Amino acid sequence: MAMLDLPRLSVPTLPIDGCADRFPVRRIFCVGQNYAEHAREMGGDPDRAPPFFFTKPADAVVENGASLPFPPRTQDLHHEVELVVALGAGGTDVAVEDALALIYGWAVGIDLTRRDMQAVAKKAGRPWDMAKGFDRSAPIGPIHPGTPPASGAIALSIDGDPRQSGDLADMIWSVPEIIANLSTYVELAPGDLIFTGTPAGVGPIAPGQAVQATIAGLPPLDIAFQN
């Protein structure tokens, strides 16, 4: 029996503002319920909940301007606009005061969620993987080199209608605190991306709709879903 050829794999990458090089994506981490109003709309308690994390596969990234097939096995696809932090260095047990030095850049992203599937998993006490980590579930704009601001408008609209609106200053856990906390669970490394949470107003996307996500200081992230 002939041996099959080994697969040849490429590392997912994202464009970098003002640079011909591309940012290699190693892993994607996401913070859950990091804005108080969103925590409340999801039934959480923002006053007591410590940060918790989930992941998406690196090849879930989608670039700006993409036209996407509507994800299978869901009737309730939700949008979550987020600040995404891209790491250029790593470490374990990183001190909060040292965390910003690990950042290569920042971008606007959308955490796409099969909410109906997530609800079933939560009720059954099962993992969220298929609700959060499916194909093309992480649209992200170009990486902007530098440190993200501590405040600034963050918003999302569908077909021009505002759906989410907030400010980065409303995060329960700041970017340095998120990085420091995450580094106690895993060894962070260059190429890691961190979605830092979403403001209130998450809701459904229908086939055929266009989604625009914005963060002050960055160009918009535009994606559309096919009918």
Side-chain angles (χ1 to χ4, degrees), residues 78-106:
H78 276 208
H79 55 77
E80 300 185 13
V81 60
E82 310 202 14
L83 166 68
V84 179
V85 176
L87 299 187
T92 57
D93 296 320
V94 176
V96 172
E97 57 269 24
D98 297 330
L100 290 180
L102 274 58
I103 297 175
Y104 174 86
W106 53 294

Side-chain angles (χ1 to χ4, degrees), residues 126-151:
R126 294 173 179 169
W128 296 1
D129 296 53
M130 293 297 100
K132 288 286 192 177
F134 53 95
D135 296 338
R136 297 174 290 275
S137 62
I140 301 174
I143 305 296
H144 183 75
T147 302
S151 63

